[in-house]
Amino acid sequence: MHHFGAADFAEMSDLAKSLREKLGQLATVTPPSMMAEQASADGTRKWLLDVGSMNGVETVFIPDGTRGTLCVSSQVGCALECTFCSTGRQGFNRNLSVAEIIGQLWWANHAMGRDPKGERIITNVVMMGMGEPLANYTNVVTALNIMLDDNAYGLSRRRVTVSTSGLVPAMDRLREDCPVALAVSLHAPNDKLRDVLVPINRKYPLAELMAACLRYLEKAPRDFVTFEYVMLDGINDQPEHARQLIELVRDVPCKFNLIPFNPFPDSGYRCSRGDAMRRFRDMLMQAGHIVTIRKTRGDDIDAACGQLAGQVQDKTRRVMRRMEVSH
């Protein structure tokens, strides 16, 4: 099923016929169905996959030289309401099941025409699609273990990354249950600003988050945390913000991934200017940190970071409340 993309037990000709018949009586292999597909000029591909009840989640494949990264969703929408994220604007419907999470990897391998005896096309998986992975903890960890299992996808812990906005108790659980590479959506160097940009910070402020990062590194497959930092013009990109950030992470082994803000309708934000991003990067590098400015990929098909919206029947009525406030 996972190595060869089989979706029918009858296709599994290397199993005894009696076993195939028994499996057919006990279970079904039901891959997700595709609602829409888009291809970017830069090779990025995005699929909208049907998860029922008029809901769809987006999965993105990003090629980069010999590396192929799949960005996987964990929820239909997101409940955390980060103000710069299109997914957060869509409201929240539900958690994805294990099958719906791993089905995105199954589907992408199938769509990319993977040859199980040849080179792996998808070399890395990042849980950075729609939703907060650690808010769907049990299903995400089960899916991670399937990704890592040699009898399934056989990915290295170093090549599977979970991104979180900072759910501290779940970070501690992940450290014990399934330590993979960790990325933290930081986006602000102080609590006052992060409370606005990433509201979960009001529950788990930066001091607690940094302590959790240090605990996680005790068992992580990589010896650093990746801090993701979306660059917002005039909001979090000034020299004083860089200085505060350097002080914040002083004791945490880390790398920085600066992300140019990818606009979406009525976001209220603009992307930092190129000179501001370079100045910010240089200040961090002069303090001894490894810093990259993420290349914007797939923005012509709304597949870039922060742009995934999918199709969400909002159970939180957040969209309706926002419309009432705006009118």
Side-chain angles (χ1 to χ4, degrees):
M1 180 169 63
H2 297 297
H3 282 197
F4 293 88
D8 184 345
F9 293 115
E11 298 174 8
M12 302 179 185
S13 57
D14 53 347
L15 300 181
K17 186 176 179 181
S18 59
L19 177 55
R20 280 179 270 162
E21 291 173 353
K22 182 77 169 179
L23 288 169
Q25 295 168 9
L26 295 173
T28 59
V29 182
T30 308
S33 59
M34 183 178 68
M35 300 170 73
E37 178 179 12
Q38 292 177 280
S40 168
D42 63 19
T44 298
R45 293 176 67 174
K46 181 174 76 169
W47 299 280
L48 179 65
L49 301 179
D50 187 357
V51 292
S53 302
M54 300 183 67
N55 288 296
V57 295
E58 292 184 327
T59 304
V60 179
F61 173 74
I62 306 163
D64 187 9
T66 59
R67 182 170 62 186
T69 299
L70 189 69
C71 183
V72 172
S73 295
S74 57
Q75 297 179 311
V76 185
C78 186
L80 296 193
E81 298 194 70
C82 297
T83 56
F84 52 84
C85 180
S86 179
T87 304
R89 291 289 182 93
Q90 303 306 304
F92 175 75
N93 186 276
R94 64 175 176 85
N95 288 329
L96 293 180
S97 69
V98 177
E100 289 165 339
I101 296 169
I102 207 67
Q104 295 171 64
L105 180 52
W106 188 99
W107 176 267
N109 272 321
H110 178 76
M112 300 299 294
R114 179 192 174 200
D115 176 2
K117 296 181 181 179
E119 292 295 320
R120 179 186 276 128
I121 295 174
I122 296 171
T123 61
N124 296 62
V125 171
V126 293
M127 298 296 302
M128 296 182 185
M130 297 172 64
E132 162 58 56
L134 296 187
N136 183 14
Y137 185 86
T138 300
N139 290 344
V140 164
V141 168
T142 303
L144 291 175
N145 281 317
I146 295 172
M147 295 177 194
L148 299 172
D149 196 311
D150 287 341
N151 290 316
Y153 296 93
L155 293 170
S156 161
R157 290 182 187 274
R158 295 170 58 84
R159 291 180 175 268
V160 177
T161 301
V162 167
S163 176
T164 180
S165 296
L167 276 65
V168 167
M171 290 170 64
D172 288 333
R173 290 180 65 192
L174 187 67
R175 167 184 175 270
E176 299 299 324
D177 296 341
C178 187
V180 292
L182 181 69
V184 173
S185 296
L186 193 58
H187 310 308
N190 62 68
D191 284 319
K192 183 178 180 180
L193 179 55
R194 196 167 191 266
D195 284 350
V196 174
L197 298 179
V198 187
I200 194 66
N201 192 73
R202 299 167 194 166
K203 188 169 185 178
Y204 305 113
L206 285 169
E208 292 184 30
L209 180 57
M210 293 301 109
C213 289
L214 280 172
R215 291 193 297 271
Y216 192 89
L217 286 174
E218 293 171 5
K219 295 192 176 181
R222 293 181 179 271
D223 58 1
F224 60 89
V225 173
T226 298
F227 287 124
E228 298 174 310
Y229 195 97
V230 67
M231 301 298 293
L232 302 169
D233 183 32
I235 303 294
N236 66 353
D237 63 351
Q238 298 303 297
E240 60 265 31
H241 296 127
R243 287 190 286 269
Q244 292 172 12
L245 194 54
I246 291 165
E247 179 61 25
L248 176 69
V249 304
R250 181 178 55 186
D251 299 322
V252 182
C254 62
K255 293 183 179 180
F256 287 99
N257 191 4
L258 305 183
I259 305 169
F261 173 67
N262 294 299
F264 56 90
D266 301 319
S267 69
Y269 295 110
R270 296 189 307 271
C271 181
S272 299
R273 300 186 313 276
D275 59 339
M277 280 192 277
R278 289 188 292 272
R279 179 183 62 197
F280 199 92
R281 175 199 63 193
D282 291 347
M283 289 182 69
L284 296 178
M285 291 178 70
Q286 287 165 11
H289 295 291
I290 295 174
V291 187
T292 58
I293 297 178
R294 182 183 291 177
K295 290 187 293 185
T296 297
R297 302 293 300 272
D299 58 339
D300 57 334
I301 57 171
D302 291 336
C305 182
Q307 287 187 322
L308 299 189
Q311 186 170 310
V312 180
Q313 300 299 309
D314 178 26
K315 285 188 174 180
T316 66
R317 296 183 58 80
R318 184 190 310 158
V319 175
M320 186 63 68
R321 292 198 305 271
R322 186 179 296 115
M323 290 174 62
E324 290 169 354
V325 169
S326 65
H327 289 85

